[in-house]
């Protein structure tokens, strides 16, 4: 099995590319740096190795920050314009509410899907029990292969006789 070589200086190269780019677009960097704080928090608190919380929260948080970044790019791309964005409470509300929706999706969707799957499985069990009752009525109790009662379940103490 061949080992992958670790690239030395990868982090240094990344820093040498990101820092100058961030300085060139400093107002946008400030906007996203402050606006994406909920995503940073999600990354820090998520214990899942797949990091699904920052992906969910970050996607919506990014969408909440984007209108203000576009406004910066269209009009004035200055630090003062970025400060005006943060002086407006509505911008904070939009950016952080979008992140809150991301948290809602992260915590709300999995239980909802699990509940739907449990409901579907319970319905399937009921259909199978009805089919089993029909088969027993048509072919007799020996076809069930167990101690079967007419309600579709097992008779009590069925497993105790073989012990």
């Amino acid at each position: 099995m061949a080992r992958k070589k670790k690239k030395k200086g990868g982090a240094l190269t990344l820093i040498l590319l990101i820092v100058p780019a961030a300085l060139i677009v400093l107002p946008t960097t400030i906007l996203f740096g402050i606006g994406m704080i909920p995503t940073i928090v999600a990354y820090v608190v998520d214990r899942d190795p797949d990091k699904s919380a920052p992906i969910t929260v970050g996607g919506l948080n990014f969408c909440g920050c984007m209108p203000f970044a576009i406004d910066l790019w269209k009009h004035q791309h200055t630090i003062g314009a970025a400060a005006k964005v943060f002086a407006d409470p509505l911008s904070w509300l939009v950016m952080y509410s979008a992140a809150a929706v991301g948290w809602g999706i992260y915590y709300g969707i999995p239980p909802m899907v699990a509940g739907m799957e449990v409901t579907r499985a319970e319905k399937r069990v009921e259909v199978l029990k009805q089919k089993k009752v029909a088969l027993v009525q048509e072919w007799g109790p020996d076809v069930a292969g167990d101690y079967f009662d007419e309600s579709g379940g097992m008779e009590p103490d069925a497993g105790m006789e073989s012990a």
Side-chain angles (χ1 to χ4, degrees), residues 5-130:
K5 289 185 178 181
K6 287 187 177 181
K7 292 183 180 179
K8 294 184 179 181
L12 180 63
T13 304
L14 185 66
I15 289 171
L16 289 175
L17 291 174
I18 295 291
V19 171
L23 291 174
I24 291 170
V25 290
L26 189 58
T28 303
T29 304
I30 292 169
L31 177 79
F32 280 107
I34 294 172
M36 297 287 285
I37 287 174
T39 302
I40 296 166
V41 170
Y43 184 81
V44 170
V45 300
D46 190 14
R47 295 182 187 157
D48 183 17
D50 295 335
K51 296 289 186 188
S52 55
I55 292 169
T56 308
V57 174
L60 287 165
N61 192 196
F62 181 79
C63 291
C65 293
M66 204 60 198
F68 304 104
I70 292 171
D71 191 47
L72 272 179
W73 300 336
K74 277 183 163 180
H75 298 103
Q76 293 179 344
H77 194 253
T78 62
I79 294 174
K84 284 182 184 177
V85 169
F86 291 116
D88 183 15
L90 183 63
S91 62
W92 289 94
L93 181 69
V94 169
M95 289 186 275
Y96 288 178
S97 293
V101 170
W103 277 112
I105 289 172
Y106 176 74
Y107 282 116
I109 296 297
M112 185 176 71
V113 170
M116 289 171 37
E117 286 297 314
V118 166
T119 303
R120 190 175 70 89
E122 287 171 348
K123 286 181 182 177
R124 179 75 177 138
V125 166
E126 281 301 315
V127 167
L128 291 174
K129 281 184 179 179
Q130 290 172 358

Side-chain angles (χ1 to χ4, degrees), residues 113-162:
V113 170
M116 289 171 37
E117 286 297 314
V118 166
T119 303
R120 190 175 70 89
E122 287 171 348
K123 286 181 182 177
R124 179 75 177 138
V125 166
E126 281 301 315
V127 167
L128 291 174
K129 281 184 179 179
Q130 290 172 358
K131 286 182 179 179
K132 185 176 181 181
V133 167
L135 283 173
V136 168
Q137 288 173 349
E138 185 177 342
W139 291 92
D142 292 338
V143 77
D146 55 16
Y147 295 93
F148 180 76
D149 67 2
E150 293 300 317
S151 69
M154 299 285 286
E155 287 182 357
D157 297 17
M160 300 301 282
E161 292 177 16
S162 61

